[in-house]
Amino acid sequence: MRKSYISMLTANILYSASVYAGGEQSIHDTVLSKIIVEAQKIDFVETDASSQGTIIAEQLSNRPLLRPAEVLETVPGLIVTQHSGDGKANQYFLRGFSLDHGTDFYTTLNGMPTNLPTHAHGQGYNDLNFLIPELISTITYKKGPYYAEEGDFASTGSAHIRYADKLDEGIASLSLGSFGHKRVFNADSFDLNGGTLLYGMEYFYNDGPWEYPEGYKRFNGVVSYTKDDGKNHYKITAMGYKGDWDATNHVPVRAIESGTIGRYGSLDPSDGGYTHRYSLSGEYERHDSTVTTKANAYIIDYGLDLFSNFTYFLNDPVNGDQFQQKESRILAGGNIGQVRVGSVFGIDSIASYGLQVRHDSIDVALNNTKSRNWLSTITSDKVNISAAALYYQNELVLGEKVRMIPGIRFDTYCFDVESAVNSANSSTKYASIASPKLNFIFGPWGNTQFFLNGGYGFHSNDARGISASSNPATPLVRTKGAEVGIQNRSIQGLETSLSFWMMDSDSELVFAGDTGGTEPTGKSRRQGIEWANYWTPSDWFILDADVALSQARYKDPVSAGGKYVPEAIEKVVSVGISIKEYNDWFGGMRLRYFGSRALIEDNSVRSEPSTLVNLKAGYHIAKNLDASLDIYNLLNRETNDIEYFYESKLASEGSGVSDHMIHPGEPRSYRFNLTYRY
């Protein structure tokens, strides 16, 4: 079920407090116990918004996944796609936003942030190719800037992914499929010195349907050690990921229609990249009668060498427009916080507060290249970004049916840039921002709860833009959001929620074809409706269905060149079924509709909508042996993963031409999986 992890933790604290107190119950215990008991009767677990929830491993196990990051499509209304090679971070869409490679949707794994500020390719770049879906235990998601513990990049939403501490059994799997696909995976856990040692290893290879094979190789490894004595919980995790690939980037439609290239062809076969991510993290959690304390620390070594050509011969008719985006980064940080049950002026409360710190040390460069050979340097910078945040929120129980959660967050930043190309772009700048929040939860009445949420948020801009001597960018961009929601369980086994939301942003980030990154534009307003449904009529069958409609408009259409925000997602429909353990059969089928959207500000050019159906079908051959078949694009629809509209120039053309730029979706493909559990 989509349940709030924070609220489940709260319920555990409250229950522990009641047991610990013993004897005569306080008013605090009486009131809160009634809320918990009534919620349990109708299978409610308290949440703070109708658009908040948790995905559990069971919901992922029978889901056909073409790419690891598609686990995030369990978040209602979220789209994960790709405009380049699969070794690159995916494109994300949610709530009227084209999130590019991750801006405004914050993600963590085991408490480690995965969004990267001042990234070589795009602000907030979020590469999740190092995820191993079989190890995921939960994905806790939230939407909107309503939560004090969520900061940079979280205005649209956040997803906190947790790996399991322990596996019920070992897993060894082999996957073979279309387009040279190969995957070998092994994971297990065992007791060691009073704790649990877990490991997972993955090798992945895929060529894709491209005329120039992608040759994407991925090596992935995880080792963790967990110890729990019932009161104290410790975990240390080491991860390593390395990938390299050749990319077929999005191409102009005219090149396909003229026969210059095929639908899966490339105009620059030397595009591609290399990347790595190595990390070490530690976590500590302590449970007392009325307090839970959590702390974590991490250090990450990350690198990327990316070669792209999105305009071909527009800027350099002789050598072409390929460029290299290169970075190496050391990221370190940590968090410490508490959740405490108590009272404020006689009002029962659950206070959450903490400190978050992070430092990114980055060497980042942009070079002109030809067939991956250096031609000239455009920018080369050493960047240091230090960030610290304090947050506080208090869930106040105003009565059996009313909870209020006021909160505040304060973030402060130091951006230090040293430019090797233009000393005028070297500077040290400081910025701070305060973000208040306020939420109300009403109910439950019978099987229904109501939610009213509001808050201020922000996202940071690229430090290089902030330090620019000409037209510097605003360091921290303000966002404001509000939401009204309802959650209902009147029908046995069905959880349905409806949300009406709105968000204002002081600046947009829009894709720029000549750099492959994003550029800031004017103020905007977004609003929309989300309807999410999760139905479990029996132990072996699950049906989920989500609809999201949104609208994104510039507040000053004259200066923006039109009122439509380019690439803003407007319509998403997702329907899926999952079958588990039915006469030794298991599997799932998913339909995803990605609606048309404006590609330029006046809405005169729009993308084509797409509909995809994916299928997983499996059978338990023996007690410990499973076989399954994944079929992607089951109906073999000719779709586009992504679509842009901008100017480019082919080698045969005398001048630039504005055109639709597409990255075609893959045709029907198959992957056969054999899994042994031991």
Side-chain angles (χ1 to χ4, degrees):
M1 287 178 287
R2 294 170 177 150
K3 297 181 177 179
S4 161
Y5 176 78
I6 298 273
S7 295
M8 284 192 284
L9 174 62
T10 298
N12 288 336
I13 293 173
L14 297 178
Y15 176 75
S16 299
S18 177
V19 171
Y20 180 80
E24 184 180 354
Q25 274 194 318
S26 66
I27 295 175
H28 168 268
D29 293 330
T30 303
V31 172
L32 294 179
S33 294
K34 284 183 179 179
I35 294 174
I36 294 169
V37 168
E38 185 169 352
Q40 288 172 341
K41 285 179 181 176
I42 58 174
D43 200 22
F44 262 125
V45 174
E46 296 175 23
T47 58
D48 300 336
S50 58
S51 57
Q52 175 188 359
T54 292
I55 306 301
I56 60 176
E58 183 180 68
Q59 293 170 252
L60 298 173
S61 60
N62 293 326
R63 195 179 186 100
L65 299 172
L66 182 65
R67 306 176 180 104
E70 288 181 3
V71 298
L72 291 183
E73 289 195 347
T74 54
V75 177
L78 195 149
I79 291 286
V80 177
T81 187
Q82 183 58 270
H83 80 117
S84 182
D86 276 333
K88 189 176 177 181
N90 294 102
Q91 301 284 118
Y92 306 94
F93 294 83
L94 178 67
R95 284 199 164 186
F97 279 86
S98 169
L99 299 166
D100 192 47
H101 293 288
T103 302
D104 285 319
F105 191 81
Y106 181 62
T107 309
T108 67
L109 175 61
N110 286 4
M112 293 182 290
T114 59
N115 300 76
L116 301 177
T118 310
H119 186 271
H121 185 66
Q123 179 71 347
Y125 188 86
N126 189 18
D127 183 1
L128 296 177
N129 280 302
F130 68 94
L131 278 182
I132 300 178
E134 291 92 338
L135 298 182
I136 295 174
S137 60
T138 59
I139 302 174
T140 302
Y141 66 86
K142 308 170 188 174
K143 298 179 189 175
Y146 319 131
Y147 307 95
E149 67 271 25
E150 308 293 347
D152 198 5
F153 305 125
S155 290
T156 304
S158 63
H160 300 282
I161 304 170
R162 297 291 311 176
Y163 274 173
D165 294 338
K166 183 177 183 179
L167 300 177
D168 293 334
E169 52 193 354
I171 306 170
S173 68
L174 172 66
S175 178
L176 301 172
S178 305
F179 311 125
H181 166 80
K182 306 176 187 69
R183 183 178 186 256
V184 180
F185 172 67
N186 175 233
D188 198 5
S189 64
F190 52 89
D191 296 335
L192 179 66
N193 293 331
T196 301
L197 183 70
L198 180 148
Y199 72 86
M201 299 178 293
E202 177 197 44
Y203 168 75
F204 176 96
Y205 180 89
N206 194 47
D207 282 329
W210 318 109
E211 291 180 11
Y212 296 94
E214 190 170 69
Y216 175 37
K217 295 185 290 292
R218 181 170 76 227
F219 299 90
N220 224 341
V222 179
V223 178
S224 69
Y225 182 74
T226 307
K227 198 166 187 177
D228 195 317
D229 62 12
K231 191 170 186 176
N232 299 285
H233 180 90
Y234 311 86
K235 184 171 185 175
I236 185 168
T237 305
M239 301 183 190
Y241 160 68
K242 185 177 182 180
D244 67 84
W245 67 97
D246 296 320
T248 295
N249 285 309
H250 56 263
V251 295
V253 169
R254 67 185 184 278
I256 298 173
E257 292 179 343
S258 67
T260 303
I261 58 172
R263 177 168 171 79
Y264 296 99
S266 173
L267 289 169
D268 195 336
S270 65
D271 287 352
Y274 316 90
T275 190
H276 73 264
R277 183 187 188 277
Y278 308 116
S279 67
L280 180 66
S281 64
E283 300 171 86
Y284 171 73
E285 186 172 336
R286 178 182 175 87
H287 297 279
D288 294 309
S289 59
T290 59
V291 179
T292 290
T293 302
K294 284 188 173 184
N296 77 305
Y298 52 83
I299 184 167
I300 302 169
D301 178 346
Y302 170 85
L304 175 71
D305 214 350
L306 182 65
F307 298 87
S308 308
N309 188 346
F310 298 129
T311 51
Y312 320 113
F313 292 91
L314 181 67
N315 301 316
D316 187 338
V318 176
N319 297 303
D321 297 350
Q322 188 186 74
F323 55 89
Q324 176 193 31
Q325 294 167 307
K326 182 179 178 62
E327 81 160 68
S328 59
R329 174 188 307 248
I330 298 294
L331 161 61
N335 311 283
I336 183 167
Q338 285 190 332
V339 179
R340 180 182 296 269
V341 173
S343 63
V344 177
F345 302 116
I347 300 174
D348 303 309
S349 70
I350 305 167
S352 304
Y353 47 86
L355 169 68
Q356 301 167 347
V357 295
R358 170 175 176 167
H359 180 80
D360 292 69
S361 179
I362 316 158
D363 288 308
V364 57
L366 176 64
N367 302 313
N368 287 314
T369 56
K370 180 179 181 180
S371 299
R372 301 198 187 190
N373 294 310
W374 179 88
L375 295 176
S376 62
T377 296
I378 304 170
T379 63
S380 179
D381 303 278
K382 291 185 179 295
V383 180
N384 284 278
I385 304 172
S386 299
L390 290 169
Y391 69 89
Y392 177 86
Q393 71 176 33
N394 206 334
E395 181 172 340
L396 303 172
V397 182
L398 304 182
E400 283 191 45
K401 305 295 185 181
V402 183
R403 289 182 287 142
M404 180 177 73
I405 310 176
I408 185 70
R409 178 184 181 91
F410 182 78
D411 288 84
T412 185
Y413 282 79
C414 175
F415 303 93
D416 181 76
V417 178
E418 182 182 337
S419 173
V421 175
N422 183 357
S423 60
N425 291 332
S426 299
S427 71
T428 300
K429 293 189 177 181
Y430 300 88
S432 300
I433 194 167
S435 304
K437 328 279 183 176
L438 183 61
N439 303 289
F440 289 92
I441 302 93
F442 305 97
W445 284 282
N447 297 294
T448 305
Q449 290 189 106
F450 299 90
F451 306 87
L452 180 61
N453 312 98
Y456 285 70
F458 74 97
H459 72 243
S460 63
N461 270 325
D462 191 304
R464 293 167 294 177
I466 296 168
S467 69
S469 56
S470 176
N471 298 319
T474 302
L476 306 177
V477 176
R478 169 64 76 199
T479 59
K480 295 173 283 188
E483 182 170 325
V484 177
I486 182 172
Q487 188 180 81
N488 180 267
R489 284 180 175 271
S490 296
I491 300 174
Q492 181 66 34
L494 173 65
E495 178 182 332
T496 184
S497 63
L498 186 65
S499 304
F500 301 86
W501 60 270
M502 181 185 72
M503 182 181 292
D504 287 350
S505 177
D506 283 353
S507 175
E508 282 293 318
L509 291 176
V510 175
F511 181 82
D514 57 344
T515 64
T518 55
E519 295 177 349
T521 58
K523 295 182 179 182
S524 65
R525 167 165 289 181
R526 287 172 169 81
Q527 53 195 356
I529 304 172
E530 291 177 340
W531 183 32
N533 301 274
Y534 187 79
W535 186 39
T536 53
S538 67
D539 292 339
W540 57 270
F541 184 84
I542 300 171
L543 169 68
D544 64 90
D546 308 317
V547 179
L549 307 175
S550 55
Q551 180 187 87
R553 299 290 186 266
Y554 283 115
K555 288 188 173 183
D556 184 0
V558 175
S559 61
K563 66 180 181 179
Y564 289 79
V565 179
E567 290 295 319
I569 190 170
E570 298 178 6
K571 300 180 184 69
V572 176
V573 178
S574 177
V575 180
I577 60 171
S578 179
I579 296 173
K580 56 175 184 175
E581 309 300 331
Y582 183 75
N583 294 332
D584 288 329
W585 289 93
F586 61 92
M589 180 181 289
R590 301 209 59 82
L591 178 147
R592 188 198 77 180
Y593 173 77
F594 186 7
S596 175
R597 58 202 181 279
L599 297 181
I600 59 176
E601 288 80 358
D602 65 4
N603 196 35
S604 61
V605 181
R606 294 183 63 85
S607 68
E608 292 293 328
S610 66
T611 301
L612 285 175
V613 178
N614 295 334
L615 171 72
K616 174 187 281 288
Y619 186 75
H620 297 298
I621 299 174
K623 181 180 179 181
N624 297 324
L625 187 63
D626 299 339
S628 63
L629 178 67
D630 294 345
I631 306 177
Y632 304 98
N633 194 1
L634 178 67
L635 304 180
N636 204 28
R637 301 286 294 270
E638 189 174 284
T639 64
N640 297 324
D641 279 339
I642 201 73
E643 196 167 338
Y644 302 110
F645 188 86
Y646 62 82
E647 186 181 20
S648 64
K649 180 178 175 293
L650 306 182
S652 60
E653 295 174 334
S655 60
V657 177
S658 294
D659 195 4
H660 286 262
M661 314 292 289
I662 67 168
H663 190 262
E666 297 191 14
R668 184 190 295 127
S669 61
Y670 307 85
R671 293 179 184 177
F672 176 75
N673 314 291
L674 198 62
T675 303
Y676 176 70
R677 303 181 185 278
Y678 57 95

